[in-house]
């Protein structure tokens, strides 16, 4: 069923839709990142942080060794210049997830949010 919106309500409807979409997408991205994070002790996986503001969502990891494990940069000397993880993780997986969310998840969720109200 199509939702009817009066012209003078369009800005409020879309403002609310974008705020909901940012929250849903940020939480979804956090879940995907936690699932993709290699972790023997769950320290790295459990250290993802999520910050949600009305029009901005941020995820980040607070563990000092997150950068080499997640992005394959600043590798520790013990890795001898080779990227390796216990889970065969793809370097930069959060960026790949963001592209997937942008192309697939966001358009679908936005349509659902607008339809439901």
């Amino acid at each position: 069923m199509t939702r009817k919106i009066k012209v003078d309500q369009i800005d409020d409807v879309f403002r609310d839709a974008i705020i909901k979409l940012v929250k849903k997408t940020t939480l979804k991205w956090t879940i995907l990142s936690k699932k993709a994070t290699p972790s023997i002790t769950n320290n790295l996986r459990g250290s993802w942080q999520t910050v949600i503001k009305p029009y901005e969502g941020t995820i980040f990891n607070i563990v000092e060794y997150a950068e080499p494990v997640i992005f394959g940069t600043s590798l520790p000397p013990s890795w001898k210049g080779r990227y390796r993880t216990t889970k065969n993780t793809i370097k930069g997986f959060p960026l790949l997830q963001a592209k997937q969310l942008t192309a697939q998840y966001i358009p679908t969720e936005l349509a659902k949010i607008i339809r439901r109200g």
Side-chain angles (χ1 to χ4, degrees):
M1 185 172 161
T2 304
R3 181 176 173 202
K4 294 182 181 185
I5 304 169
K6 294 180 182 179
V7 173
D8 64 342
Q9 296 173 324
I10 291 173
D11 60 338
D12 291 333
V13 168
F14 275 91
R15 183 182 320 106
D16 293 345
I18 296 301
I19 290 170
K20 287 178 187 175
L21 182 63
V22 166
K23 181 177 181 178
K24 287 185 79 164
T25 303
T26 305
L27 294 174
K28 177 76 170 176
W29 195 8
T30 303
I31 290 166
L32 291 172
S33 293
K34 284 183 178 187
K35 285 182 180 178
T37 301
S39 184
I40 294 170
T41 64
N42 285 326
N43 185 43
L44 184 61
R45 186 176 295 131
S47 295
W48 283 101
Q49 304 291 310
T50 305
V51 177
I52 300 172
K53 297 178 182 177
Y55 301 102
E56 179 184 333
T58 305
I59 67 167
F60 58 95
N61 199 299
I62 59 172
V63 174
E64 63 184 30
Y65 57 86
E67 184 181 349
V69 174
I70 294 167
F71 292 102
T73 56
S74 302
L75 300 177
S78 62
W79 288 20
K80 297 182 169 91
R82 286 188 4 244
Y83 177 75
R84 56 187 180 183
T85 67
T86 59
K87 195 176 176 182
N88 295 322
T89 304
I90 298 170
K91 287 186 208 179
F93 66 84
L95 301 178
L96 298 173
Q97 292 169 337
K99 288 178 184 178
Q100 180 184 18
L101 288 168
T102 301
Q104 298 169 7
Y105 181 81
I106 291 173
T108 303
E109 287 303 310
L110 180 58
K112 287 179 189 175
I113 290 168
I114 291 172
R115 273 195 307 270
R116 287 187 205 134

